[in-house]
Amino acid sequence: MTSATVQVRMSTDQRRLILDTGGMLREFAALWLRERAPDANTLDPRTGQRLIEAAELPLDLTLTCADRAGDQIELHFSDGTQTHYNLDDLTTKEQANADPDRLLWDASLASVPRADFAKALVDDTSLLGLLDRLHRFGFVLVDGVPAEEDGMQPLIDRIGPLRRTNWGGIADVKSVANAYDLTMTQRGLEPHTDNPYRDPIPGYIWLHCLSNAADSGDSTLADGFMAAERLKTSDPTAYQCLTRVWPGFRYQDETTFLESEGPLIELDSHGTPVRVRYSNRTERVPALDPDELDAFYAARQAFYRLVTSEELTVSLKLAPGQMLIMDNYRLLHGRKAFQLDGGIRHLRQGYVDRDSTTSRRRVLKRQLSTHTPESHA
């Protein structure tokens, strides 16, 4: 819509505000306009939080006046409230928290998204670049991390806080005798997402390499959203099954019992994938109707074949001082089997939650509003 050509009127029953641009109509319910009226009596000017109890507004609320004055619309409501809206706020989509588009990728990814630890630690523009790439690609390779046990902690503190689990904060990932978890062995690890048995599931995995004398042991990455898109195209029935069926996931030991559930492909209210879950080791499928189980097993196999295929897999070997930050709602990560030859393979891993990471990125974007998202991509 072009605001200069917008005509403003009320519906006959005065329950709707109508914006008319050459016959293209957009309607807004009076009650919706009232509960989010942009005045200090309705919304807190600092936080935007609502100050009135919306559920107490009359359901038969109407507009008594709707007049345009320049770029403003003056509205009067039947409960006596008067307010003004900026026309642009109603004719354009909400952009306050708009995120850059995600870029789906496969094995043909031309270059790995990278960031510099030292720069991100002191420069907000560099930090925003790191966070934007993490959002868009689902992972970022960070160079120049101090080769110390808690070397990544200062950068976590810029974003964090660090998520603590039953394994502590930042934990070792290295081959040990009598390992309590398969990550602590030399065997390969199939593509998976971490900790789907938690509530909430950790949002981002931070994997920092201190030393790597292993023969092989490359990290493998697959874009779960690309796999979901490929499955939706090639086998819509399987795709729908994986969005519908909710397997359980469980982890337990002598001191811990963690359990949750959710679909392998989770959709938002618009039908867009927002989370993938895949953990062969911890999945517990309920005893569903046999026909539903047959459909689920076939769909799961189709998804597995995608995320393990060469076409969707990117492999890289971390060197000392490098770190991977991975979106645990999107990426499936794994590891090739390795052998140690005259040294050790020692990585450190931690988690940072999704809300704090997203908040940091959005606040930086607002503060650095003179920069375009493309300058950080």
Side-chain angles (χ1 to χ4, degrees):
M1 282 186 184
T2 302
S3 60
T5 62
V6 176
Q7 303 296 315
V8 176
R9 68 175 188 270
M10 296 182 293
S11 62
T12 303
D13 61 4
Q14 299 179 254
R15 300 289 297 276
R16 303 285 186 271
L17 174 71
I18 301 173
L19 304 184
D20 184 347
T21 304
M24 296 180 59
L25 305 182
R26 191 171 182 189
E27 299 188 9
F28 300 87
L31 191 56
W32 183 88
L33 292 164
R34 171 65 187 93
E35 71 176 19
R36 57 190 290 140
D39 58 70
N41 292 323
T42 304
L43 302 180
D44 184 282
R46 185 172 59 90
T47 66
Q49 292 181 321
R50 195 158 53 205
L51 301 175
I52 62 170
E53 179 50 69
E56 292 183 353
L57 292 171
L59 298 180
D60 59 354
L61 186 87
T62 61
L63 291 161
T64 59
C65 175
D67 289 326
R68 177 175 177 178
D71 292 331
Q72 296 276 313
I73 300 177
E74 180 179 353
L75 299 178
H76 296 194
F77 298 91
S78 57
D79 68 349
T81 299
Q82 300 181 21
T83 195
H84 291 81
Y85 271 89
N86 290 322
L87 187 59
D88 285 346
D89 291 341
L90 297 179
T91 57
T92 59
K93 294 181 179 179
E94 292 184 272
Q95 297 295 324
N97 293 325
D99 290 320
D101 292 336
R102 288 188 170 93
L103 300 177
L104 305 188
W105 50 267
D106 57 20
S108 67
L109 181 66
S111 61
V112 170
R114 304 179 83 110
D116 181 85
F117 181 87
K119 290 180 180 178
L121 201 59
V122 298
D123 178 63
D124 283 350
T125 300
S126 296
L127 180 60
L128 178 57
L130 181 158
L131 293 173
D132 266 351
R133 286 187 281 276
L134 178 59
H135 170 78
R136 300 186 78 176
F137 292 91
F139 77 103
V140 63
L141 178 64
V142 183
D143 295 302
V145 185
E148 304 166 356
E149 283 205 345
D150 293 336
M152 61 180 169
Q153 185 68 58
L155 187 58
I156 289 177
D157 291 340
R158 286 266 281 161
I159 300 168
L162 177 70
R163 167 79 175 272
R164 296 190 66 84
T165 70
N166 54 300
W167 294 309
I170 300 175
D172 287 314
V173 180
K174 59 183 178 180
S175 180
V176 298
N178 300 316
Y180 63 83
D181 190 84
L182 293 180
T183 60
M184 313 295 280
T185 70
Q186 297 180 34
R187 74 182 293 275
L189 299 177
E190 73 281 356
H192 63 282
T193 58
D194 272 10
N195 297 192
Y197 42 77
R198 294 189 189 275
D199 185 14
I201 297 171
Y204 291 95
I205 306 166
W206 292 51
L207 186 64
H208 173 210
C209 180
L210 298 182
S211 60
N212 196 352
D215 179 14
S216 191
D218 294 16
S219 296
T220 62
L221 306 175
D223 186 347
F225 291 170
M226 173 63 89
E229 182 67 24
R230 295 274 180 93
L231 184 64
K232 184 178 181 180
T233 299
S234 64
D235 193 342
T237 300
Y239 176 84
Q240 290 298 325
C241 180
L242 295 189
T243 67
R244 181 181 70 246
V245 175
W246 284 40
F249 299 90
R250 179 185 293 175
Y251 175 87
Q252 59 181 322
D253 58 26
E254 292 181 356
T255 61
T256 307
F257 192 107
L258 299 167
E259 192 170 32
S260 188
E261 64 177 359
L264 269 58
I265 301 174
E266 182 176 333
L267 307 179
D268 65 11
S269 61
H270 304 290
T272 301
V274 291
R275 184 181 340 200
V276 293
R277 294 173 175 84
Y278 197 89
S279 176
N280 176 62
R281 288 172 283 162
T282 64
E283 182 191 64
R284 297 174 62 89
V285 182
L288 302 173
D289 176 85
D291 289 340
E292 183 78 315
L293 279 176
D294 286 346
F296 174 76
Y297 289 145
R300 185 182 62 184
Q301 184 179 84
F303 189 65
Y304 170 77
R305 287 175 174 169
L306 282 168
V307 299
T308 56
S309 68
E310 292 185 1
E311 290 77 12
L312 263 65
T313 301
V314 167
S315 298
L316 54 88
K317 184 173 181 176
L318 291 179
Q322 289 187 320
M323 175 172 66
L324 270 175
I325 308 177
M326 297 172 281
D327 184 345
N328 192 41
Y329 281 27
R330 174 177 174 180
L331 247 67
L332 291 96
H333 65 284
R335 182 187 69 206
K336 297 179 181 179
F338 64 93
Q339 297 293 325
L340 295 176
D341 183 17
I344 62 172
R345 182 184 189 272
H346 186 188
L347 286 75
R348 298 273 281 170
Q349 178 174 294
Y351 297 116
V352 178
D353 281 329
R354 201 170 192 80
D355 55 355
S356 55
T357 303
T358 300
S359 173
R360 187 70 167 125
R361 175 170 54 81
R362 289 175 172 174
V363 169
L364 282 172
K365 178 179 288 188
R366 185 176 63 200
Q367 293 173 341
L368 301 172
S369 57
T370 57
H371 297 275
T372 62
E374 287 73 19
S375 66
H376 311 299

